């Protein structure tokens, strides 16, 4: 979601009031992962940081299986894009995916 103009650092709680279970589960998992990541960064504990990210896999999978992110409802769409931006922001704190090089490519 890089380049999304005005993308929030966190999803507004008011947007979450009408969220469905897979959305609330991802939001809760992201909030927990953020707290765990904060602690891991503070103590330079990279295995702990990786475990925090791995805990997001099931909620992310369920989210993509359970919703259409680009909903025609503008509130749903904003909430869902915001949630994805939150997840990406967590990854960006430790990883620069643009630096990944696949063997055999430039």
């Amino acid at each position: 979601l890089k380049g999304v103009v005005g993308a929030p650092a966190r999803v507004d709680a008011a947007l979450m009031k009408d969220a469905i279970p897979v959305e609330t589960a991802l939001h809760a998992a992201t909030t927990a992962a953020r707290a765990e990541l904060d602690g891991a960064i503070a103590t330079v504990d990279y295995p702990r940081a990786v475990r925090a990210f791995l805990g997001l896999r099931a909620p992310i999978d369920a989210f993509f299986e359970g919703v259409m992110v680009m909903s025609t409802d503008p509130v749903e769409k904003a909430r869902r894009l915001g949630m994805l931006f939150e997840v990406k922001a967590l990854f960006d704190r430790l990883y620069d995916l643009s630096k990944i090089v696949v063997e055999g490519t430039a």
Side-chain angles (χ1 to χ4, degrees), residues 17-28:
K17 69 180 175 71
D18 295 322
I20 62 173
V22 292
E23 292 173 302
T24 56
L26 179 58
H27 185 66

Side-chain angles (χ1 to χ4, degrees), residues 10 32-53 88-95:
R10 304 238 169 111
R34 183 183 304 107
E36 189 66 17
L37 186 59
D38 289 345
I41 289 171
T43 60
V44 193
D45 186 347
Y46 294 110
R48 181 177 168 194
V50 170
R51 285 191 302 274
F53 288 133
K88 182 185 178 306
L90 289 179
F91 282 94
D92 286 348
R93 291 181 63 194
L94 283 183
Y95 305 110

Side-chain angles (χ1 to χ4, degrees), residues 18-105:
D18 295 322
I20 62 173
V22 292
E23 292 173 302
T24 56
L26 179 58
H27 185 66
T30 303
T31 300
R34 183 183 304 107
E36 189 66 17
L37 186 59
D38 289 345
I41 289 171
T43 60
V44 193
D45 186 347
Y46 294 110
R48 181 177 168 194
V50 170
R51 285 191 302 274
F53 288 133
L54 291 175
L56 291 172
R57 180 176 179 178
I60 289 171
D61 287 348
F63 178 80
F64 280 113
E65 290 171 8
V67 303
M68 174 62 67
V69 175
M70 301 306 277
S71 172
T72 57
D73 180 319
V75 174
E76 283 182 351
K77 181 179 176 180
R79 178 177 59 241
R80 293 168 181 173
L81 287 172
M83 294 172 70
L84 294 175
F85 184 81
E86 282 186 324
V87 170
K88 182 185 178 306
L90 289 179
F91 282 94
D92 286 348
R93 291 181 63 194
L94 283 183
Y95 305 110
D96 183 352
L97 297 179
S98 71
K99 302 293 184 193
I100 293 177
V101 176
V102 177
E103 189 174 321
T105 64

